[in-house]
Amino acid sequence: MSYSPTPPRSTPAGPVNRALEGVLRLFSVYLVPLGIALFSLVALLFWNSHYVASGDQPVALRLLVEQEAALAPEAALRQLAQVSAIDHYDSRLSEAPVWFAFTTRGAPGDADVVEFPSPHMVAITCWDPYSMQQLGQARRGSAEGALSQVKAGFALRLWNTPAEVLCRASFIGPARLTAVQWPVDQMTLSIQQFHRKSGLLDGGMIVLTLFILITAAINRQTLYLQFAGWLILNLRVGALSAGWDVQWLGQAIPAEWLLPVRKATIALYAMSTLTLYHTLFGGYLSRTRFAPPLRVLQWLCVPLLACAFVLPYRSFLPIMWTVTGAGLVLMTMGLVSVIARSQARVALWFAASFAVTFMSGLAEVVSAALNVRELTGVANSVTAALASSLLAALAVAEQMRLETERRIAAQAELEHAYEAMPLGLFTLDLYGNFLSTNPALAGMLGDPRMVPGRTRWQQFFPEGVLGQLQELVHRQQNAELEIASRDGERRFLVRATLARGRIEGVLEDITEKTKATEQLRFMANHDPLTKVYNRRGIEKAFELAAASLAAGKPLALAYVDLDRFKLINDLFGHAAGDEVLRQVCGRMGMMLGGEQQIGRVGGDEFVIVMPDTPVRLAALVCRGIVDRLVGEPYQVGDKAFHVRGSIGLIEVSLGMAMKDAVSAADRACREAKANVHEGLAVYERDSSAFHEREAELNLVARLSGPHPTAGLFLEMQPIMSLRSPNASLNFEVLLRMREPDGRVMPAGPLIDAAEKCGQAGVIDRWVLATTLDWIAQHAEQLPNTRFVCMNLSGASLNDERFVQDTLEILGRRAAVAHRLCMEITESVALHDLDNTRRFIEQVRAFGVKVALDDFGAGYTSFSYLKELPADVLKIDGNFVVNINAHPANVAIVEAIVNLAVNLGMKTIAEWAEDAATVRTLAEIGVDYVQGWAVARSQAPERLLEAKSSASFITDSQVAYLVRCLDAGVELEQELFAGLN
């Protein structure tokens, strides 16, 4: 609620004072204005006016219009003698001079004044017709002799009446010439009455205009500003009709300015009227048929204003009558439509004001055009100016009433909002005293009885907070400050500004919001299950710790992986696994100290950042973690679990990125897993593992560059037939890369790096295209080549684009494609059996042979062999090397050979390194053999020089065995004899 000082207690004099105030208010508000209105009405109706002139007599005129030839006064007088008398003359825009003569009335010797009241008369000269002596002459701005400029026209002072007078006059505009004879004293009174009326009109209109201008400035509304300008122009138009436009604010307008000012006044009044009309009623009329013609009128206003400055008065007036007449009719019709559509009283008053002006203007135009002067007596511009101004004042008063009502309603709504606002609103003085508060603030601070000026800010908030708030509001316009209550249990946000030497502010209770924000901030960097850092949090911890490497401080990073933790989740549920993870983090945390932090980066994988920790000390900590993890079982309910962990620890070097450090530690962790008894592998800064990792990253970057195949070349290892060793020259292409320093990189690291960077397909496409191009180029030199083997990586086989490119390459080299044998690793083939079968069928359509590589190395299931139309089984080398030392390997190889024979496939045994191995393979029935016992990989040029794969054998025992195989002799007998 908004507080104010406590009202004084009621006293016996209270009702009397209120009654007195009521009586005074009744007189001031109602009786005094009513009395003034009645008094004024009585004065107007029954009392005599101070300025009533009488005794004026119209004078008949004999008039002659001067034609092209100028007349002398004598000639004009002779012609006038033949002319009948008239009471007035209308020029009808003619600017030809006129001669007229008249005879005054009165007793001999009377001194009277003859007035010529035409405001459009610009010059007059008068003579005594008997003596032809000039009585006087006058123009706008100057006069001499008996002629003078009086009111809107001119006057001739006669010292003796009756008298005859001859005059010559010039006009500009729709002039009417009349002559009125006045007694001198009554003429003086008439002049006073004229100036009094013009002063009253000017003063009243100007005061009203100033009032509206002030209203426009206060309310910042351009409508009032437009209306004020329109009122001034309305005043000038009324003055033009009454002949008062020869002066402004009591100052005479120079004669040479008078006609241009009249033309500009009329044009500007038309523009102002149309603009104000469109401002008030444009919204209503935009959807009616009046909108297009009103738009045309707006466009005509600019040419009309230009004509006012360019054309002479006689030419300008017809154009002005045509435009304004059409405009008045059109706007009047639109005004009727607006009144019919809108019942707003402001619009009605404005419409009435315009209607009076329009009708008066229309009467002026019609009377001037049709010479019907009677209309101006009914509604001239003077009466129109007064009436329209009065109606405009009523419109402004109505608008003020509506605005006052809206302001009171808005204030009441604002007060209600202030009371009902859920935020705490307050006003403080600069000493910290509450000047006003709303109920929400009292509820927040827990004090419903806050006393304005006595309750202090410091009662609810710690010392120093007020000073911070005062400093902020003086330094910036909209200050914000987060503060706590005095007991620290609640948090508030203060938004305040300095206004009129006081602090106006809003207090918002953000206790729950702050708690939620802190929780979100915690959750953003911590694992919700174990409460240790998550990946994002541990990355930040690493970045902070890595910054100290530049100062020479050590940094270690450990990668922890729980062995076979998945079994706990699978067998006992995730609830049990989650509890074990929490206990694991608790045990690891007990081994850490200082700024060492744990982060969970996987389901059962953790990273430990150890800043300022030498690697040897970190190794001791990690050894303690490994022992502690496995030391005691983890109790979950009535169950106990044993968990073993492996840790890879590395020493982080300067400039090493987080991902590289984690990757190296992960590699060390895998090494620790292989060494079951240790469970910990440590890579120090100069460890070979870092160099291998660096070489791998460099290779990945090289393969990801614009020239991934740069430096690649092929070597070929012969594959010898054990049926006819000298009858065929078959071989496998092997990928190599030449380093910039000349070293040769084998295929293993190259393929691993290519698969990691997504370039395996690019490499395999290059190998395929290069191999087929080489075979096609040297086909005539390879008459004994039955097949050439090449390996496909698993990533390429699952790349649909690679498959399409392979088919395209085979189509271009269809003539030699039948010599190609593609090797697909058994595990890759089993990964997506349908995809593998589809690929095999597509390449076999070109005559390509397919071999299943490393057969027997994986989880072999013979059932899939009937699903894959392969041609060759390539026996895994682990069964071949040292086959004679392991009878089980002999049995496995023999079973594979029998399976291949039954399925119609050939077999190739790789990794054959000596003659004894070759002999065993031959006895078992293997079709082809590959390995160092036959030959190492060779440059392609060497194969072009050989006739068969046996041509490369250098071992004498293997060579002797080959001769025996060619001769078809029993191996055991020949070998025994040969060895003896």
Side-chain angles (χ1 to χ4, degrees):
M1 56 182 289
S2 186
Y3 289 98
S4 57
T6 304
R9 292 183 179 180
S10 179
T11 62
V16 176
N17 291 333
R18 286 194 294 272
L20 177 61
E21 291 177 359
V23 171
L24 294 177
R25 181 178 179 82
L26 175 63
F27 270 89
S28 300
V29 176
Y30 299 104
L31 298 182
V32 171
L34 182 60
I36 293 175
L38 292 175
F39 188 80
S40 301
L41 184 61
V42 169
L44 291 173
L45 294 177
F46 303 107
W47 297 351
N48 294 326
S49 172
H50 263 298
Y51 301 96
V52 176
S54 61
D56 56 320
Q57 302 177 31
V59 178
L61 304 173
R62 300 190 306 278
L63 186 137
L64 173 68
V65 179
E66 187 177 83
Q67 302 303 323
E68 295 181 359
L71 294 175
E74 295 82 358
L77 184 63
R78 286 193 299 269
Q79 295 185 29
L80 286 172
Q82 309 299 322
V83 177
S84 301
I86 59 175
D87 58 352
H88 69 273
Y89 164 74
D90 292 310
S91 68
R92 298 187 180 182
L93 297 181
S94 173
E95 295 182 3
V98 297
W99 290 86
F100 61 94
F102 59 90
T103 302
T104 61
R105 305 173 185 175
D110 288 346
D112 284 351
V113 178
V114 178
E115 179 189 4
F116 309 104
S118 174
H120 297 285
M121 182 183 292
V122 295
I124 185 172
T125 305
C126 293
W127 292 267
D128 182 349
Y130 297 107
S131 63
M132 287 299 167
Q133 181 180 358
Q134 189 179 87
L135 300 177
Q137 63 178 359
R139 303 180 63 85
R140 293 292 179 183
S142 64
E144 60 184 30
L147 282 170
S148 62
Q149 188 172 341
V150 175
K151 296 195 289 188
F154 298 92
L156 176 65
R157 179 70 179 268
L158 298 175
W159 302 103
N160 290 296
T161 58
E164 290 190 8
V165 179
L166 173 67
C167 296
R168 182 179 185 271
S170 299
F171 306 91
I172 294 180
R176 166 167 284 197
L177 174 62
T178 59
V180 180
Q181 183 176 348
W182 290 89
V184 175
D185 58 338
Q186 294 299 317
M187 183 64 189
T188 303
L189 190 62
S190 176
I191 293 173
Q192 293 176 352
Q193 183 183 23
F194 176 85
H195 289 294
R196 175 179 175 275
K197 289 182 177 180
S198 65
L200 287 175
L201 181 63
D202 286 356
M205 295 288 280
I206 290 173
V207 169
L208 180 60
T209 301
L210 289 176
F211 168 73
I212 294 178
L213 281 174
I214 294 172
T215 303
I218 294 175
N219 292 277
R220 293 179 175 85
Q221 291 188 2
T222 57
L223 171 62
Y224 292 152
L225 190 62
Q226 292 179 28
F227 193 74
W230 180 82
L231 282 176
I232 293 296
L233 292 171
N234 196 17
L235 167 65
R236 294 303 300 168
V237 171
L240 175 62
S241 175
W244 301 336
D245 65 324
V246 295
Q247 56 87 28
W248 173 246
L249 300 180
Q251 307 299 316
I253 298 177
E256 62 273 14
W257 282 43
L258 190 57
L259 290 181
V261 167
R262 283 178 178 175
K263 293 188 292 181
T265 299
I266 296 171
L268 290 174
Y269 179 67
M271 292 180 63
S272 178
T273 301
L274 184 59
T275 302
L276 187 58
Y277 181 90
H278 193 271
T279 301
L280 290 173
F281 311 117
Y284 294 100
L285 297 176
S286 61
R287 298 180 296 274
T288 67
R289 64 181 183 276
F290 300 104
L294 281 174
R295 185 65 64 188
V296 174
L297 276 179
Q298 287 179 315
W299 281 103
L300 289 176
C301 286
V302 177
L304 181 65
L305 183 62
C307 290
F309 290 99
V310 175
L311 296 179
Y313 199 72
R314 180 180 181 181
S315 302
F316 169 73
L317 285 180
I319 298 175
M320 182 270 294
W321 286 336
T322 303
V323 174
T324 56
L328 288 174
V329 172
L330 181 62
M331 287 191 290
T332 302
M333 295 172 63
L335 200 56
V336 172
S337 176
V338 169
I339 295 175
R341 288 170 175 264
S342 173
Q343 300 301 320
R345 281 182 287 184
V346 175
L348 290 174
W349 288 123
F350 272 126
S353 174
F354 274 115
V356 170
T357 305
F358 295 163
M359 296 306 296
S360 172
L362 187 62
E364 292 276 346
V365 171
V366 172
S367 64
L370 303 180
N371 195 26
V372 185
R373 289 290 172 173
E374 290 75 8
L375 291 175
T376 58
V378 177
N380 56 38
S381 295
V382 178
T383 58
L386 292 173
S388 63
S389 301
L390 177 61
L391 292 171
L394 293 175
V396 172
E398 177 65 19
Q399 181 70 17
M400 293 176 62
R401 186 187 67 81
L402 292 177
E403 291 179 354
T404 302
E405 289 181 353
R406 285 195 292 266
R407 184 166 57 251
I408 293 173
Q411 184 175 357
E413 186 176 350
L414 184 62
E415 290 178 356
H416 175 72
Y418 185 83
E419 297 292 329
M421 182 73 69
L423 300 176
L425 306 178
F426 65 88
T427 301
L428 288 176
D429 62 19
L430 296 181
Y431 300 101
N433 298 312
F434 283 102
L435 301 180
S436 67
T437 61
N438 69 340
L441 184 105
M444 289 181 188
L445 301 182
D447 186 358
R449 296 179 297 177
M450 301 181 70
V451 180
R454 295 185 181 180
T455 305
R456 297 179 58 80
W457 175 272
Q458 293 87 338
Q459 295 175 222
F460 307 99
F461 302 105
E463 298 293 335
V465 172
L466 179 61
Q468 296 178 27
L469 184 61
Q470 291 173 335
E471 182 180 353
L472 280 176
V473 297
H474 280 88
R475 192 169 61 241
Q476 58 192 56
Q477 184 176 2
N478 296 312
E480 285 192 6
L481 181 64
E482 189 172 329
I483 60 177
S485 60
R486 180 174 284 275
D487 56 11
E489 293 183 357
R490 306 194 67 80
R491 303 284 300 180
F492 298 95
L493 178 65
V494 181
R495 299 183 183 90
T497 187
L498 190 63
R500 302 183 301 276
R502 299 183 299 180
I503 300 176
E504 304 281 352
V506 179
L507 188 71
E508 181 182 359
D509 190 339
I510 59 170
T511 304
E512 298 302 324
K513 181 180 177 181
T514 302
K515 291 180 180 178
T517 302
E518 292 175 353
Q519 180 67 17
L520 289 174
R521 188 179 294 114
F522 179 85
M523 296 299 292
N525 295 311
H526 291 78
D527 176 53
L529 175 64
T530 60
K531 307 307 179 193
V532 299
Y533 277 132
N534 56 14
R535 183 179 295 274
R536 182 173 180 267
I538 202 66
E539 286 177 354
K540 289 185 177 180
F542 178 85
E543 292 174 1
L544 185 63
S548 63
L549 288 172
K553 295 183 179 180
L555 174 62
L557 183 139
Y559 192 94
V560 182
D561 188 9
L562 303 183
D563 300 338
R564 306 185 71 181
F565 178 79
K566 186 175 182 297
L567 290 176
I568 298 178
N569 284 331
D570 294 342
L571 297 177
F572 300 98
H574 288 278
D578 292 346
E579 179 58 30
V580 171
L581 286 176
R582 283 190 285 266
Q583 295 185 31
V584 165
C585 290
R587 292 190 185 186
M588 288 192 295
M590 293 177 63
M591 299 299 299
L592 303 179
E595 298 180 357
Q596 297 171 347
Q597 301 290 343
I598 307 172
R600 186 184 179 197
V601 296
D604 57 353
E605 298 164 339
F606 303 88
V607 169
I608 303 176
V609 175
M610 302 181 181
D612 200 14
T613 305
V615 68
R616 297 189 182 276
L617 176 59
L620 293 177
V621 174
C622 290
R623 170 56 58 192
I625 292 175
V626 170
D627 295 340
R628 193 168 186 85
L629 289 178
V630 76
E632 297 180 5
Y634 295 85
Q635 197 72 33
V636 180
D638 58 350
K639 297 179 179 64
F641 302 98
H642 288 275
V643 176
R644 183 183 299 276
S646 300
I647 300 180
L649 176 66
I650 67 163
E651 184 179 10
V652 180
S653 58
L654 181 63
M656 180 180 288
M658 171 76 174
K659 61 178 183 178
D660 297 332
V662 172
S663 179
D666 184 21
R667 177 182 294 186
C669 184
R670 292 197 300 270
E671 182 180 323
K673 275 183 177 292
N675 189 355
V676 178
H677 298 289
E678 294 294 332
L680 174 65
V682 181
Y683 288 172
E684 296 187 6
R685 185 171 298 175
D686 296 328
S687 172
S688 60
F690 285 110
H691 298 295
E692 293 173 3
R693 175 63 176 167
E694 182 179 2
E696 181 182 12
L697 293 176
N698 292 335
L699 183 56
V700 167
R702 181 175 175 183
L703 294 177
S704 301
H707 305 291
T709 60
L712 298 182
F713 67 95
L714 297 178
E715 290 186 347
M716 300 174 180
Q717 186 175 27
I719 300 175
M720 187 182 70
S721 171
L722 292 180
R723 308 293 182 186
S724 302
N726 289 296
S728 61
L729 178 60
N730 306 310
F731 51 88
E732 179 181 1
V733 294
L734 301 176
L735 181 64
R736 301 287 186 264
M737 174 179 274
R738 194 175 305 280
E739 298 281 9
D741 59 1
R743 293 184 295 107
V744 175
M745 180 184 298
L750 180 60
I751 296 301
D752 290 342
E755 289 181 347
K756 289 180 179 178
C757 67
Q759 295 289 77
V762 175
I763 302 299
D764 282 350
R765 272 192 292 271
W766 181 88
V767 173
L768 175 62
T770 303
T771 300
L772 290 176
D773 289 344
W774 187 83
I775 295 174
Q777 184 179 357
H778 304 95
E780 296 180 357
Q781 297 172 267
L782 300 170
N784 296 329
T785 300
R786 305 291 183 267
F787 61 86
V788 177
C789 293
M790 68 162 285
N791 273 288
L792 287 180
S793 69
S796 297
L797 191 60
N798 293 315
D799 184 355
E800 187 62 30
R801 180 180 175 185
F802 170 78
V803 173
Q804 297 302 322
D805 291 346
T806 297
L807 298 178
E808 182 182 350
I809 294 171
L810 292 175
R812 292 201 306 266
R813 293 287 183 264
V816 295
H818 66 279
R819 294 194 182 190
L820 189 65
C821 178
M822 289 186 174
E823 298 183 3
I824 302 174
T825 304
E826 179 193 16
S827 59
V828 174
L830 291 177
H831 177 71
D832 190 343
L833 197 59
D834 292 337
N835 187 49
T836 304
R837 181 173 59 252
R838 184 169 57 254
F839 177 77
I840 292 176
E841 291 173 350
Q842 288 174 326
V843 298
R844 288 188 73 184
F846 292 94
V848 177
K849 301 174 182 63
V850 177
L852 294 179
D853 195 16
D854 296 336
F855 187 80
Y859 298 100
T860 301
S861 173
F862 291 159
S863 63
Y864 79 88
L865 290 177
K866 63 183 179 181
E867 302 290 338
L868 297 178
D871 301 287
V872 179
L873 294 180
K874 197 164 187 181
I875 303 170
D876 184 62
N878 287 307
F879 296 124
V880 177
V881 67
N882 298 325
I883 187 174
N884 293 314
H886 302 283
N889 287 352
V890 176
I892 292 173
V893 173
E894 188 172 4
I896 294 174
V897 171
N898 292 333
L899 178 65
V901 170
N902 292 328
L903 294 177
M905 300 180 183
K906 299 296 184 181
T907 54
I908 300 175
E910 53 186 358
W911 294 13
E913 298 182 355
D914 52 43
T917 300
V918 175
R919 178 179 63 83
T920 302
L921 296 174
E923 290 176 346
I924 292 175
V926 174
D927 296 303
Y928 296 93
V929 67
Q930 177 184 357
W932 288 359
V934 178
R936 295 176 181 268
S937 58
Q938 306 291 324
E941 297 80 11
R942 293 263 342 252
L943 269 75
L944 298 177
E945 300 170 358
K947 295 182 178 180
S948 68
S949 300
S951 303
F952 296 95
I953 296 175
T954 57
D955 186 274
S956 59
Q957 293 185 4
V958 178
Y960 180 75
L961 177 61
V962 168
R963 289 195 298 274
C964 293
L965 292 173
D966 277 336
V969 182
E970 290 291 337
L971 293 179
E972 186 175 355
Q973 296 177 2
E974 290 299 322
L975 283 175
F976 181 76
L979 292 175
N980 289 299

